[in-house]
Each structure stands twice: as C-alpha cells, then as structure tokens.
Amino acid sequence: MKRSLAVVLVLAAAPLLVGAPAQADPPGHGRPGTYRLTGDVGGSKFEGIGADERRGVFYVSEVTGGEIHRGSAGTAQTEQWLGGDGTDGRFTARGITTDAAGRVYVAGGPNGIGTGRPDLWVYAPDGRLLAALRAPGENVFLNDVAIGPGGAAYFTNSNAPQVFRVAVDERAWGVTRWADATGTVVQRAGFNLGGIVVSADRSALVVAQGNAGLLWRFDLRTAAVSPVATGGASLTDADGLVRQGSRLTVVRNFARLLATLELRADGRAARLVSQVATDPERVLTTAKELRGRTLFVDSKFDEPVASGPYEVVTDPLAR
C-alpha cells in the first residue's frame, strides 16, 4: 500500500422493510414527498446527497457549477447554501456527506484534474470553510465519501482503484492516499470506484465499482482489499450505496434499478434480495436516509441540457 500526504492548515419514523424502498409520507403526515432544488438558468445537474440526522437537514451537490444546496426534512423547497462557479475553487461537486459534528465533506470529481484546484472541501455547519484540499496524485476524480468509525472521511477515486482518507489533528486537516488496490481491482473504462458505506460491524468499507458491477471490501484496520461475494448479482451502473442495518440498497443509475442485498455484518458477502425498476423519467444517482425515509437525487444526467423541475424524491419507483 502506497501512502502520501498533502496538508492544508485548518482553515421518529416508520421502519423500512427489506426489499422495499422508502415511500413518500401520505398527505397530511407533515413532510413532503418531493423536495424542490433551485436550478440555474442554463440548466443544472445534481449528484450527491448528505444527511444530518441530528439537525434534520440534507445537502445536495450540483455538478454544473459546484453549488451546494440545503434542505430541511419538513420543507419542500430547498435553498442554495454555498455558491459555486469558483467559490473556494469549486466548479463542480459530486459526493457529499456529514459527520457527527455536522461538518460537511464535499468531493470535487474532476475539479482538480489539470487545474491545480482543490479536490475536496470541508465546511462547518454554519458554512465556514474549514479546509480545501488537494489529494496526492494527478488522476484524482473524487466521487463519493463516507465517515469511518474513527471520524475520518474516506473518498473514492473513480479514475484509479484508490481510497483517500481525510482527517484533522491538533493543527491541520490532511489527506492521504489510504488504500491503493492496483493489482486487485481491475481498472476499466468509465467510472470505477464510486458509492461507499461502512459495514455494520464497522470493520470495513464497502465500495461499488459501477462499470464492472462489483462490490469491494476495504478493511479499515489493514486497508486490504477483497471482493464482496454477491453470488453474481447484476450490479452494473451501481452508483450510490445506502446501508440500513443488514440491508444494502444499490442505486443503479442509468440501469434505472434499485438492487436490495442482505449484507453480512463484516461486509464480506451479500445476497441479492430484489431488483426493482425506478421511475424511467429519472436517472437517480445516490441516496441517504434522513429521519426514517430515503431521499434519492434525480440527477438529470439523461438530459443534454437539463431543465426543471429539479428534485429530490422519496418515492423512486416506476409507476
């Protein structure tokens, strides 16, 4: 395993059934079934979503411009929380998540490739920039991010079989190439590593390789990488992952399917439970659970020039 380092100064809900995606609340339940995002005049596309359970808010990343939008579990209309178009060096944004302190971690996708711009950002809950970091390497497309059991953030690289670790010590935020699975994960054309979650026993990261339709286990103690045994389940176009107990939901974007698997606690194996079709008029990229419901991002990736309405939905299924 190779390691390198770059440092920047510290700048009540209903249970879900296995195989059944979360549904929109019935009318009068007090929460909307659809959340409206604000788009740009020229069209906007979206990808990542992070959820802060304690505060009841969620964040959505905009690919076109890099704006970050914020919504509340009880309000249908969201707001632009952070600007894009060069704000903090950010021209696009991909995966996003929050930690226990409410800090927001944003993956920059190709933002830093060939530009010298940051690859990722960390923000305080009030929107203050805490860090804007360059990851080690020249071919870094940070796709998605999850918080590990020790509080560090782990970012996947879609351009190489790597995972980066971001953490803060007494003096500074830093990013390391935590795991390099070259020789184990076969690099393929298109998007490689993407969605990422922590296993139920907190011993490993489970990562999707969308172009291959595979899941990989990254051991959090040793950084060793091994395939998750899925029995040959069809998972091509796997994008976002959501783990709820032993249930793993795989959002298969352009395949327009949701796969539900029963995931072993240590992340070493998973059994396919169901595959259900999603709304054919949407390309859903990823999802997060918030206050008992699962929120899915409608990316607009299927539209050459996107047009509204721009939405986060709680009912993703085909009619």
Side-chain angles (χ1 to χ4, degrees):
M1 179 183 67
K2 295 171 61 180
R3 294 178 181 266
S4 55
L5 175 67
V7 176
V8 171
L9 294 180
V10 174
L11 293 162
L16 301 177
L17 300 177
V18 170
Q23 301 296 309
D25 288 330
H29 196 274
R31 287 186 292 175
T34 301
Y35 298 90
R36 185 65 58 88
L37 298 163
T38 302
D40 298 327
V41 174
S44 293
K45 299 185 180 185
F46 303 87
E47 184 163 0
I49 184 168
D52 185 335
E53 182 72 19
R54 177 181 174 189
R55 295 166 178 81
V57 299
F58 62 92
Y59 302 87
V60 178
S61 59
E62 185 173 336
V63 172
T64 48
E67 295 87 351
I68 306 299
H69 303 258
R70 182 173 65 180
S72 168
T75 305
Q77 183 63 48
T78 67
E79 62 178 359
Q80 182 178 298
W81 184 58
L82 299 175
D85 299 319
T87 300
D88 301 325
R90 188 178 59 258
F91 290 83
T92 185
R94 307 296 166 132
I96 187 168
T97 198
T98 65
D99 65 12
R103 292 177 295 208
V104 181
Y105 298 75
V106 181
N111 192 76
I113 297 177
T115 66
R117 298 168 184 158
D119 295 303
L120 67 98
W121 301 263
V122 185
Y123 290 92
D126 63 5
R128 287 179 297 113
L129 177 66
L130 300 177
L133 304 175
R134 287 278 296 155
E138 300 299 324
N139 192 30
V140 177
F141 186 117
L142 295 186
N143 186 311
D144 209 349
V145 53
I147 305 300
Y154 294 86
F155 289 78
T156 55
N157 183 3
S158 286
N159 282 358
Q162 301 166 340
V163 173
F164 293 85
R165 182 181 185 273
V166 173
V168 63
D169 61 20
E170 295 178 355
R171 299 170 299 164
W173 288 88
V175 52
T176 60
R177 186 185 295 114
W178 172 76
D180 190 333
T182 301
T184 300
V185 177
V186 177
Q187 179 91 359
R188 307 192 185 201
F191 292 101
N192 286 268
L193 300 187
I196 180 171
V197 293
V198 179
S199 66
D201 70 357
R202 302 171 71 80
S203 68
L205 304 171
V206 175
V207 176
Q209 186 183 8
N211 53 1
L214 300 173
L215 299 176
W216 295 94
R217 182 185 187 274
F218 286 71
D219 191 282
L220 279 166
R221 183 178 62 85
T222 66
V225 182
S226 57
V228 177
T230 63
S234 177
L235 298 175
T236 306
D237 292 335
D239 198 342
L241 302 180
V242 182
R243 186 187 62 77
Q244 297 156 300
S246 63
R247 184 180 80 169
L248 181 69
T249 299
V250 181
V251 183
R252 298 181 59 194
N253 51 35
F254 281 97
R256 290 179 169 85
L257 291 166
L258 290 183
T260 301
L261 298 97
E262 190 75 13
L263 181 67
R264 213 166 82 178
D266 60 8
R268 296 183 186 276
R271 178 182 61 86
L272 182 66
V273 175
S274 68
Q275 298 257 25
V276 293
T278 59
D279 186 338
E281 297 185 357
R282 304 181 189 271
V283 174
L284 305 177
T285 45
T286 191
K288 284 289 187 348
E289 186 181 16
L290 179 64
R291 305 234 163 146
R293 298 189 305 172
T294 308
L295 309 185
F296 296 82
V297 178
D298 182 4
S299 66
K300 297 289 184 174
F301 283 173
D302 56 333
E303 299 181 18
V305 178
S307 60
Y310 304 108
E311 295 175 330
V312 172
V313 300
T314 59
D315 184 358
L317 301 185
R319 292 285 182 251

